[in-house]
Amino acid sequence: METDSWKPPEPVATLKSPIASGGHRVRVLLELTASKASGVRFESTDFAVGEIVGFRAEPLWASQQSAIISLGENLQVTFIFEIPNKAIQLVLEGPGQLRLALGTAHHSNL
């Protein structure tokens, strides 16, 4: 259950569907900064949430689908993923070998 009042800027059909039994949704905020002169290409379909050993979840929704970020520019993207309740050791997987640990905060009262 969402504990804050966040909602996407427009209604999203995939977020209106019921959550699978034994699962919940998480919101992941990603900020990318281009540090290469050639910039960075962003594609939301390049990202997924996975458990170190276990499932892989594609985004149900992303605030931005694609972009080209020039040197020094930032891009902030919000993703929504549906994951199993018992998933703890989560990583955000991205293009190439990108893997960012998401920690266990979504399972705590902090």
Side-chain angles (χ1 to χ4, degrees):
M1 172 181 267
E2 188 70 41
T3 57
D4 64 19
S5 59
W6 183 88
K7 297 205 183 303
E10 298 175 8
V12 179
T14 56
L15 299 181
K16 289 183 178 183
S17 62
I19 297 171
S21 178
H24 65 283
R25 292 185 180 151
V26 295
R27 185 174 69 233
V28 175
L29 308 174
L30 175 68
E31 183 171 348
L32 298 171
T33 302
S35 59
K36 293 195 264 184
S38 60
V40 173
R41 181 167 182 80
F42 167 81
E43 295 289 338
S44 64
T45 56
D46 289 341
F47 290 83
V49 166
E51 192 169 27
I52 291 180
V53 289
F55 78 97
R56 178 179 163 89
E58 305 296 325
L60 291 177
W61 178 80
S63 60
Q64 177 113 12
Q65 299 305 307
S66 65
I68 297 177
I69 311 161
S70 299
L71 178 64
E73 290 184 339
N74 293 346
L75 175 68
Q76 295 180 347
V77 181
T78 301
F79 289 100
I80 302 294
F81 296 95
E82 190 168 313
I83 64 171
N85 288 340
K86 296 188 182 207
I88 295 178
Q89 295 179 320
L90 300 175
V91 293
L92 178 66
E93 302 168 352
Q97 298 296 315
L98 177 68
R99 291 174 57 93
L100 303 170
L102 298 178
T104 60
H106 69 282
H107 284 286
S108 70
N109 294 327
L110 301 177

